[in-house]
Amino acid sequence: MAYRWKNDLTPAHVTPKALWLNRRQLIAGTAGLGALAAAGAAHAADDLTPNTIEEITNYNNYYEFGTGKTDPAANAGAMVTSPWSIKVDGMVDKPGDYSLADLLDGLTTEERIYRFRCVEAWSMVIPWNGVELADVLNKVGVQSGAKYVAFETIVQPETMPGVRGNVIPFPYVEGLRLDEAMHPLTLLATGIYGNPIPNQSGAPIRLVVPWKYGFKSIKAIVRISLVDQEPPTTWNKLNAREYGFYSNVNPTVDHPRWSQATERLVGGGLFAARQDTLMFNGYDEVAGLYEGMDLKANF
Ligand code: MTE
């Protein structure tokens, strides 16, 4: 059953092109606002449709399969994704090794069309199918001392050339603060466009945290741990100056080597204007999670 979160992008949100162009002309014609219209790139929220499955599955980051954008599609075919077991441990009432089916049994799979923003300043719109991470956590029972959730990706050297080549340290690890993990936007995705998630996109189950840079959305999860300390995360371990634990999408905090103010929409065409990046990738409802926090210091 498709439940659409209020910030979902659906085809219904697509502004007819003619209307959009009209509005721009209207703005441009209004005294004082002309400069604004001329300077500001049109934002995706107004005229976006989900990317095609070809775009979503042929432009990937998945270092276990290589560092190039087309390496995952080329190399992930041999990955073994069934049977799949996920270890749930740490501060939980029901720890154990769960089969994927058992972990998801009884939970509602939903469709969520989310904007996905990589730290490398490109973005896509992806129609995911999945369950809320909160539902899984509630099912296994989070104990009161738990403050963070740590995740780990499978290491399958025989099918993963990037693992054999040691391109970065593996397993790939990620983490969220417990309140981030429990937020209803946070998804464990098992599908795209209504079909099982392709290997290069994180089969059989991956995290999707739409207000954070894409590297937080860890693929092929085999371990979920409830812990009381901030867990180590792969890109932070590699370069803490460039990749923080929080990594919330934030147009006002640049990456040390490039601006985060704008982004390129994958599939937007060679000459398409870059679009403005939105705070929290447009998912304003998470702002309360960070009230009183300095988001420049906690990037
Ligand atoms: N998960 C694992 N295990 N290994 C990775 O290299 N790359 C991350 C994230 N999850 C990565 C990962 C990065 S940098 C991004 S932008 C997203 O996956 C890319 O997801 P996509 O390929 O489905 O677009």
Side-chain angles (χ1 to χ4, degrees), residues 102-159:
D102 283 347
L103 195 64
L104 302 183
D105 185 48
L107 306 184
T108 308
T109 299
E110 302 175 12
E111 182 189 60
R112 300 277 180 94
I113 301 176
Y114 281 163
R115 210 191 313 278
F116 185 89
R117 169 62 155 83
C118 179
V119 73
E120 297 162 342
W122 53 262
S123 67
M124 290 196 210
V125 176
I126 306 183
W128 303 103
N129 310 98
V131 301
E132 289 185 9
L133 174 61
D135 288 347
V136 171
L137 295 178
N138 287 330
K139 184 170 170 174
V140 296
V142 178
Q143 294 181 345
S144 62
K147 294 194 176 68
Y148 295 88
V149 187
F151 304 88
E152 209 173 289
T153 294
I154 197 166
V155 180
Q156 215 173 74
E158 57 291 4
T159 68

Side-chain angles (χ1 to χ4, degrees), residues 201-231:
S201 300
I205 186 163
R206 72 171 293 174
L207 187 68
V208 181
V209 195
W211 72 93
K212 292 180 179 283
Y213 291 123
F215 66 85
K216 300 292 291 181
S217 292
I218 183 173
K219 296 177 172 178
I221 295 167
V222 289
R223 186 173 178 187
I224 300 176
S225 310
L226 278 296
V227 296
D228 60 358
Q229 305 281 320
E230 185 182 290

Side-chain angles (χ1 to χ4, degrees), residues 53 56-57 60 62 76-77 79-82 84 100 104 109-110 112 116 126-131 187-208 217-221:
I53 189 72
I56 294 168
T57 58
N60 299 100
Y62 201 166
M79 185 185 176
V80 180
T81 59
S82 176
W84 195 264
L100 184 59
L104 302 183
T109 299
E110 302 175 12
R112 300 277 180 94
F116 185 89
I126 306 183
W128 303 103
N129 310 98
V131 301
L187 211 64
L188 280 176
T190 53
I192 293 176
Y193 272 114
N195 291 314
I197 211 163
N199 288 355
Q200 63 266 38
S201 300
I205 186 163
R206 72 171 293 174
L207 187 68
V208 181
S217 292
I218 183 173
K219 296 177 172 178
I221 295 167

Side-chain angles (χ1 to χ4, degrees), residues 52-61 68-75 122 124 192 198 200-201 219 266:
T52 65
I53 189 72
E54 288 74 24
E55 286 158 355
I56 294 168
T57 58
N58 288 286
Y59 190 88
N60 299 100
N61 278 331
K69 295 285 180 271
T70 55
D71 289 343
N75 297 332
W122 53 262
M124 290 196 210
I192 293 176
Q200 63 266 38
S201 300
K219 296 177 172 178
V266 172

Side-chain angles (χ1 to χ4, degrees), residues 80-96:
V80 180
T81 59
S82 176
W84 195 264
S85 170
I86 299 177
K87 179 180 284 302
V88 178
D89 62 0
M91 306 168 97
V92 285
D93 295 335
K94 297 178 209 156

